[in-house]
Amino acid sequence: MHSNLEEVNAMTLATATADGMPDGRIVLLKGFDGNGFTFFTNYNSAKGHQLLENPRACLVFYWAALERQVRLCGLVSLAAASVSDEYFNSRPEGSRIGAWASPQSEVIESREWLEKNEERLKTEGKADTLHRPPHWGGYVVKPTRIEFWQGRPSRLHDRILYTLGGNRAWTIERLAP
Ligand SMILES: Cc1cc2nc3c(=O)[nH]c(=O)nc-3n(C[C@H](O)[C@H](O)[C@H](O)COP(=O)(O)O)c2cc1C
């Protein structure tokens, strides 16, 4: 089925610190296959620190026009360096420089500082900024639970839960809405 939704690959990424404080933000899904669901970010960001301490995450998609939610949770690992390189190299030059220029999630003194940092990298270090920074790359979420939610009349929505068992087989159950 095709739909013309904007940012159809935007999803909430929920993580938590080692002591259980939850956090969440939107990231873009950039790929999925038998290994899991891949997004790209700064490994030194808040989410990067949380995933280092506690490599578990949930992803939540919501498409209002379809009245659909998909929610999945599982273990998180780093994407292969070759996958991160390939995606980084496919990005426009400005985005590549931005990945070097912005210490994501750190406190910075001003917008001006950020713009100057970008300008400095553009003029001084162009050759160096075209390859992937060591602090930037992909994460792969390998789900062990996936719930598909479909809005239906009278709040009698469908909720179908897939759970991965120890035998690597998926159990499929219906949950009350
Ligand atoms: C539509 C949308 C898409 C985004 N996509 C990404 C993304 O793919 N990767 C990323 O690192 N941040 C993305 N962001 C920014 C994050 O929401 C967040 O501000 C940033 O990753 C820092 O999060 P953290 O401090 O929890 O690590 C996106 C934000 C929006 C609103």
Side-chain angles (χ1 to χ4, degrees):
M1 188 172 102
H2 289 274
S3 53
N4 293 317
L5 303 178
E6 279 180 32
E7 303 252 52
V8 69
N9 59 333
M11 57 190 185
T12 298
L13 162 70
T15 52
T17 58
D19 60 1
M21 176 60 81
D23 202 353
R25 79 292 287 156
I26 302 284
V27 294
L28 297 179
L29 178 71
K30 289 294 176 179
F32 62 93
D33 60 18
N35 292 321
F37 291 72
T38 302
F39 63 90
F40 294 91
T41 192
N42 186 312
Y43 292 141
N44 294 334
S45 63
K47 72 181 90 49
H49 289 296
Q50 290 156 8
L51 289 171
L52 190 65
E53 290 180 3
N54 179 5
R56 301 180 184 95
C58 293
L59 302 173
V60 186
F61 296 87
Y62 174 52
W63 301 292
L66 303 177
E67 291 187 76
R68 274 185 197 172
Q69 172 179 242
V70 175
R71 168 181 179 188
L72 50 96
C73 298
L75 289 177
V76 183
S77 56
L78 293 184
S82 57
V83 171
S84 295
D85 285 339
E86 192 180 342
Y87 177 65
F88 188 80
N89 294 337
S90 75
R91 303 179 87 208
E93 192 175 309
S95 305
R96 283 187 269 171
I97 292 171
W100 283 96
S102 171
Q104 193 178 60
S105 313
E106 284 181 23
V107 174
I108 54 172
E109 61 187 47
S110 61
R111 166 135 210 123
E112 195 187 13
W113 179 89
L114 189 62
E115 288 173 1
K116 278 197 173 144
N117 206 29
E118 184 203 29
E119 204 46 49
R120 183 181 59 76
L121 285 163
K122 267 188 192 157
T123 48
E124 289 172 16
K126 199 163 175 188
D128 292 338
T129 53
L130 290 178
H131 68 273
R132 178 172 66 91
H135 59 261
W136 193 97
Y139 285 102
V140 184
V141 181
K142 191 166 182 125
T144 51
R145 271 172 74 97
I146 307 179
E147 184 197 316
F148 297 90
W149 185 101
Q150 174 67 58
R152 301 282 301 269
S154 307
R155 298 197 155 267
L156 295 183
H157 313 303
D158 287 328
R159 294 181 63 190
I160 307 298
L161 176 66
Y162 286 64
T163 310
L164 190 62
N167 55 359
R168 310 305 296 161
W170 291 92
T171 301
I172 306 174
E173 295 161 305
R174 177 178 286 270
L175 304 180

